Amino acid sequence: MSDRVIFFDTTLRDGEQSPGVHLNMAEKLQIGHALAELGVDVIEAGFPISSPGDFESVNTLAKEIKGVTICGLTRARDKDIEVAAEALAPAESRRIHTGLGVSENHLQHKLRMTREEALATGVKAVKLARQFTDNIEYFMEDSGRADREYVYQVVEAVIAAGATTINVPDTTGYTFPTEYRDLMAGIKSNVPNSDKAILSCHCHNDLGMATANTLGGVIGGARQVEVTINGIGERAGNTSLEEVACALYIRQDFFNLKSNIVLNKLVPISRLVSNLTGMVVQRNKAVVGANAYAHSSGIHQDGVLKERSTYEIIDPHLVGAEESAIVLTARSGRHGLKHRLMELGFDFATDRFEEVYQRFLDVADRKDEINDEDLRELVKS
Ligand code: KIV
Ligand code: ZN
């Protein structure tokens, strides 16, 4: 099995489906270039048949962005596939992403098809897509809630028809990590031709487990992850690219896998996507949140000032963030205060420092955070 994880970014497709997000063409292109520089392998640029804007997005990225595969989403319908092929035509490397649902829920309530009809529709779609490119990804929507035996049957049939990547979406964010791992491992061990395709994780975050499930899928044998910047996407979002890339790197001892992601571009691209989409990144968001490298309690500050690794497993410079911050609050200790005062040019003898520290606690009890201006005032008085 390959020791490299392929990063398939769907910020411009599933991510743009976030309620309230709408990007214009110039913004999509800016994000597309930033994704290529970040080192993603595949950019899902849109769903070409869904609107003229999506067609233009896929077509423009296909023309402008080199060194990366551009992908367009389709339903398992002839017209969708033909329109996607047209949009993708100028790409240096192109992929058609087609498929349909596999769970009983989707078959009965949404597709209104029998298992056999859905399987035949999927196979036909792959065969048609193969006329335009040999890079075909097949998605089995709602795999997380589907019957495993049926999933195996679909995987075997669509690989035989020419699919080269098999997307196993946990569309509703229903599974948990060991379950999703076993789903991937089950496909690998029960589908005779599964070695002819790459298995892909596509997880949603409804129960807050998208990253854990994606990593579970990788442990189970998947070698592609479908992710978005800042985890934006439908409902509670998709798996966040920065979390998976960072976890694979920080826990190399465990995963022993590589990726092409340039880690120090993670924070800059997170900020770019947040600014362009208007989706604010929560302060405590893993890897890219404003508080991810900020230490507020005295015990933690003391540890970090002595040796960063006591409380930080990620060096902020690794992901392109600023220096770790010592945030002065009522919970800060003498070590944190002394450190900041020295950075501001104040070096007090012990008894004078003790006096300043007591005054600091007094003010800190009334104020959330003590900034440099507050400190200068405090020292003057
Ligand atoms: O979540 C999902 O199942 C999807 C598919 C269309 C790939 O986004
Ligand atoms: Zn999705």
Side-chain angles (χ1 to χ4, degrees):
M1 212 188 301
S2 160
D3 67 349
R4 191 167 83 81
V5 175
I6 296 166
F7 273 71
F8 174 113
D9 182 274
T10 183
T11 305
L12 297 175
R13 200 278 296 170
D14 226 340
E16 223 231 355
Q17 287 174 217
S18 305
V21 170
H22 181 71
L23 296 164
N24 65 35
M25 195 54 247
E27 292 166 339
K28 287 182 185 175
L29 204 49
Q30 203 181 343
I31 292 176
H33 281 297
L35 288 169
E37 280 167 27
L38 178 69
V40 306
D41 303 280
V42 185
I43 296 176
E44 187 167 53
F47 180 6
I49 204 164
S50 67
S51 70
D54 258 42
F55 182 94
E56 193 198 356
S57 155
V58 175
N59 191 241
T60 306
L61 267 76
K63 282 183 202 142
E64 304 280 330
I65 305 205
K66 305 294 167 204
V68 54
T69 297
I70 306 297
C71 176
L73 182 76
T74 81
R75 292 164 296 186
R77 294 187 186 176
D78 293 2
K79 190 72 188 154
D80 283 36
I81 294 167
E82 285 155 11
V83 169
E86 190 190 333
L88 289 165
E92 201 176 67
S93 164
R94 70 191 70 85
R95 175 181 294 185
I96 293 179
H97 188 189
T98 191
L100 77 171
V102 288
S103 66
E104 283 313 308
N105 183 303
H106 279 220
L107 289 169
Q108 276 180 34
H109 302 304
K110 194 179 109 164
L111 300 168
R112 305 213 164 108
M113 283 183 186
T114 63
R115 286 183 178 194
E116 293 69 30
E117 284 165 348
L119 180 50
T121 305
V123 166
K124 182 168 162 278
V126 172
K127 287 187 175 155
L128 175 61
R130 277 296 292 223
Q131 293 180 16
F132 302 103
T133 169
D134 54 11
N135 190 340
I136 308 296
E137 175 164 338
Y138 190 81
F139 69 82
M140 301 179 293
E141 200 175 11
D142 205 19
S143 294
R145 293 189 295 172
D147 170 48
R148 293 273 168 96
E149 292 304 321
Y150 181 58
V151 166
Y152 301 155
Q153 214 186 321
V154 174
V155 174
E156 185 171 357
V158 297
I159 292 177
T164 44
T165 300
I166 302 295
N167 180 5
V168 188
D170 181 22
T171 306
T172 54
Y174 179 75
T175 61
F176 54 89
T178 49
E179 208 175 9
Y180 195 67
R181 174 200 64 194
D182 293 348
L183 176 55
M184 290 295 179
I187 294 173
K188 283 205 98 57
S189 52
N190 289 287
V191 178
N193 57 359
S194 63
D195 61 325
K196 304 278 184 302
I198 289 167
L199 299 185
S200 183
C201 307
H202 181 113
C203 298
H204 281 264
N205 205 29
D206 300 66
L207 291 173
M209 292 193 282
T211 297
N213 285 343
T214 295
L215 293 170
V218 169
I219 296 167
R223 285 295 175 269
Q224 178 175 282
V225 292
E226 306 201 1
V227 287
T228 62
I229 301 296
N230 300 332
I232 63 171
E234 287 275 3
R235 308 182 310 279
N238 287 63
T239 303
S240 121
L241 181 150
E242 54 280 3
E243 292 175 11
V244 175
C246 213
L248 291 175
Y249 180 81
I250 296 288
R251 295 305 312 275
Q252 276 174 83
D253 61 318
F254 179 77
F255 289 103
N256 201 17
L257 291 168
K258 298 193 282 270
S259 83
N260 283 346
I261 298 299
V262 182
L263 296 172
N264 66 12
K265 293 192 184 291
L266 289 174
V267 168
I269 198 167
S270 159
R271 290 180 184 160
L272 173 74
V273 169
S274 175
N275 290 338
L276 295 181
T277 58
M279 298 274 286
V280 176
V281 175
Q282 71 193 60
R283 292 186 70 85
N284 61 331
K285 166 86 172 58
V287 184
V288 294
N291 286 355
Y293 310 98
H295 305 274
S296 152
S297 89
I299 295 172
H300 289 209
Q301 291 178 347
D302 182 50
V304 167
L305 289 171
K306 285 176 178 149
E307 165 54 41
R308 199 189 54 77
S309 63
T310 50
Y311 288 99
E312 267 182 13
I313 60 163
I314 308 167
D315 179 340
H317 297 130
L318 175 76
V319 295
E322 292 81 18
E323 201 62 64
S324 316
I326 297 292
V327 182
L328 295 177
T329 69
R331 288 165 305 284
S332 301
R334 289 176 177 77
H335 195 169
L337 176 64
K338 190 167 230 159
H339 171 83
R340 188 70 200 132
L341 286 172
M342 284 180 78
E343 282 182 339
L344 294 176
F346 301 108
D347 188 4
F348 298 115
T350 317
D351 46 347
R352 168 78 171 121
F353 173 73
E354 197 50 38
E355 197 190 310
V356 171
Y357 179 61
Q358 292 310 322
R359 258 207 314 275
F360 161 78
L361 287 181
D362 227 41
V363 180
D365 263 339
R366 283 178 272 121
K367 233 182 151 231
D368 282 354
E369 201 177 308
I370 305 292
N371 61 31
D372 292 349
E373 219 30 63
D374 298 326
L375 282 183
R376 288 198 184 89
E377 279 304 310
L378 214 132
V379 164
K380 264 198 252 156
S381 47

